[in-house]
């Protein structure tokens, strides 16, 4: 597709030039963020992974079990992904979205099967209302199969993203061990969550949410559940993610050098519904752009995922 045909789809370039939200971004009244009234004072649990290898391991596993069953979400600190890796990833993501549209649009595609693509919605063809978000989606396992498709501008993009994806994968594998243990999946057998995946797959998104002149009319990302196994999200310093619990939305406030982990639909199935894949959404605001970088960890397409025997 030519740049001229797609340029109107890139919300970041609309956002800088309008003082009202174009009608294709306006949600029906029954489906708006209600920014002022709906959030609850609750917060998702913070779990310190430092303790995982010490005498308090059982306590950490208990905290994971509680978080996955009650919230479907938790934050983690001391997770092993180096601060530098995180900082470099955020910086290169910011640089990517600051490039002129003519550069970004080279990666534009509405074809959801593409393994590297820039877009503004889950599926531009089928969505009635567009999201106030531009995103770059990448497949990243194994890296060597996909890296040549990734953007080559900024020049450090591939190197930085490969380092980040490798480091986050190692973290996800640790999390899968813990989660398997916490839900009572039989140890050292085919039943562990990581062994049900066939050839594992790993995707990333770089989400860019531009400032929005009427943030109460639209969503960066409307309420949804993640269809994959588990997700690990890196947020910048602007708060925008909200998690649904007990009829209210909990705002997740960013904490530097932490990840937000959530249970996806497939983990809910593997855990026989003990763990919950819960609704979450991203709201935008009028003065600050923000970036988030979720990693989605999934089974390969040929894997059969079902409830697993418990020990
Ligand atoms: C997602 C998602 C939340 C965010 O991409 O599935 O939930 O904060 N993102 O960007
Ligand atoms: Ni999500």
């Amino acid at each position: 597709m030519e740049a001229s045909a797609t340029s109107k789809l890139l919300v970041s370039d609309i956002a800088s030039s309008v003082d009202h939200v174009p009608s294709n971004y306006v949600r029906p009244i029954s489906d708006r963020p209600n920014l002022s009234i709906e959030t609850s004072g609750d917060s998702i649990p913070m779990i310190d992974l430092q303790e995982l290898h010490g005498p308090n391991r059982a306590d950490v596993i208990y905290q994971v079990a509680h978080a996955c069953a009650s919230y479907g979400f938790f934050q983690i600190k001391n997770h092993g992904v180096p601060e530098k890796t995180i900082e470099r990833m955020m910086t290169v993501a910011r640089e990517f979205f600051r490039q002129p549209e003519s550069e970004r649009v080279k990666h534009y595609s509405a074809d959801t099967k593409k393994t590297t693509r820039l877009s503004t919605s889950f599926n531009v063809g089928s969505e009635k209302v567009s999201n106030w978000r531009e995103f770059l989606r990448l497949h990243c396992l194994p890296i060597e199969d996909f890296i040549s498709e990734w953007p080559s501008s900024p020049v450090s993009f591939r190197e930085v993203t490969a380092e980040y994806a490798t480091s986050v994968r190692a973290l996800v594998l640790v999390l899968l061990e813990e989660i398997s243990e916490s839900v009572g999946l039989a140890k050292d057998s085919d039943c562990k969550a990581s062994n049900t995946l066939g050839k594992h797959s790993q995707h990333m998104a770089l989400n860019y949410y531009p400032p929005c002149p009427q943030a109460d009319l639209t969503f960066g990302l409307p309420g949804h559940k993640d269809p994959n196994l588990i997700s690990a999200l890196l947020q910048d310093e602007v708060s925008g993610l909200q998690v649904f619990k007990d009829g209210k939305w909990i705002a997740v406030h960013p904490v530097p050098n932490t990840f937000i982990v959530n249970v996806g639909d497939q983990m809910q199935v593997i855990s026989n519904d003990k763990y919950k894949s819960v609704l979450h959404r991203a709201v935008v605001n009028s003065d600050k752009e923000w970036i988030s970088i979720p990693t989605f960890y999934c089974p390969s397409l040929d894997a059969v995922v079902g409830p697993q025997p418990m020990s």
Side-chain angles (χ1 to χ4, degrees):
M1 217 187 259
E2 285 179 21
S4 59
T6 61
S7 55
K8 283 197 287 305
L9 290 168
L10 294 183
V11 68
S12 349
D13 301 288
I14 301 169
S16 53
S17 64
V18 297
D19 56 10
H20 66 279
V21 171
S23 59
N24 57 315
Y25 292 91
V26 176
R27 295 263 152 197
I29 290 174
S30 58
D31 178 31
R32 289 184 186 168
N34 285 326
L35 296 175
S36 51
I37 55 166
E38 262 185 287
T39 46
S40 99
D42 199 358
S43 56
I44 62 171
M46 172 72 80
I47 300 177
D48 186 347
L49 297 190
Q50 184 90 62
E51 303 278 317
L52 208 52
H53 307 290
N56 295 331
R57 180 178 172 88
D59 182 48
V60 179
I61 299 295
Y62 174 80
Q63 290 177 46
V64 168
H66 174 70
C68 290
S70 311
Y71 291 81
F73 265 82
F74 52 100
Q75 267 170 303
I76 47 173
K77 59 181 180 182
N78 294 316
H79 43 66
V81 179
E83 237 176 275
K84 195 83 204 148
T85 305
I86 289 177
E87 190 190 308
R88 276 159 48 95
M89 187 66 234
M90 257 310 161
T91 302
V92 90
R94 207 165 279 130
E95 285 169 2
F96 176 82
F97 289 110
R98 284 195 182 143
Q99 298 179 114
E101 185 191 276
S102 55
E103 183 60 45
R104 291 166 11 245
V105 87
K106 287 178 187 166
H107 306 283
Y108 179 82
S109 174
D111 177 0
T112 54
K113 292 200 190 67
K114 277 223 151 158
T115 47
T116 302
R117 72 184 188 104
L118 181 83
S119 190
T120 56
S121 281
F122 281 135
N123 185 338
V124 177
S126 66
E127 272 185 357
K128 287 206 193 75
V129 185
S130 301
N131 298 330
W132 203 260
R133 169 182 81 141
E134 183 175 318
F135 67 92
L136 179 70
R137 205 157 163 136
L138 309 169
H139 284 222
C140 39
L141 188 70
I143 286 173
E144 57 276 17
D145 284 3
F146 301 105
I147 192 165
S148 61
E149 301 174 1
W150 295 355
S152 54
S153 170
V155 283
S156 61
F157 187 94
R158 291 180 182 175
E159 182 212 326
V160 169
T161 305
E163 178 191 322
Y164 176 84
T166 304
S167 200
V168 170
R169 175 168 192 243
L171 167 62
V172 167
L173 294 177
V174 170
L175 288 168
L176 286 177
E177 286 284 318
E178 278 175 46
I179 293 174
S180 300
E181 185 176 337
S182 74
V183 79
L185 291 182
K187 227 180 166 190
D188 296 326
S189 73
D190 289 344
C191 311
K192 286 197 298 192
S194 59
N195 293 344
T196 64
L197 304 181
K199 249 169 65 202
H200 298 194
S201 51
Q202 180 183 356
H203 308 168
M204 278 171 73
L206 278 53
N207 289 325
Y208 174 69
Y209 302 102
C212 178
Q214 293 170 295
D216 49 352
L217 299 186
T218 192
F219 286 110
L221 200 50
H224 67 280
K225 297 176 180 179
D226 289 353
N228 49 295
L229 188 69
I230 63 167
S231 309
L233 177 85
L234 181 66
Q235 276 184 309
D236 70 6
E237 60 283 353
V238 179
S239 179
L241 175 68
Q242 298 183 343
V243 174
F244 197 63
K245 181 163 192 293
D246 302 334
K248 291 216 164 110
W249 292 95
I250 301 174
V252 180
H253 298 296
V255 181
N257 289 310
T258 62
F259 284 87
I260 295 157
V261 179
N262 65 290
V263 171
D265 293 347
Q266 289 161 339
M267 182 60 85
Q268 176 167 339
V269 169
I270 288 175
S271 75
N272 216 347
D273 276 358
K274 270 196 190 170
Y275 288 174
K276 305 290 183 240
S277 175
V278 306
L279 279 175
H280 54 286
R281 65 187 191 180
V283 297
V284 289
N285 71 79
S286 57
D287 52 7
K288 292 192 197 98
E289 61 177 21
W290 61 284
I291 286 177
S292 72
I293 306 180
T295 292
F296 304 105
Y297 212 78
C298 332
S300 53
L301 284 175
D302 58 355
V304 178
V305 172
Q308 293 298 304
M310 303 290 160
S311 55

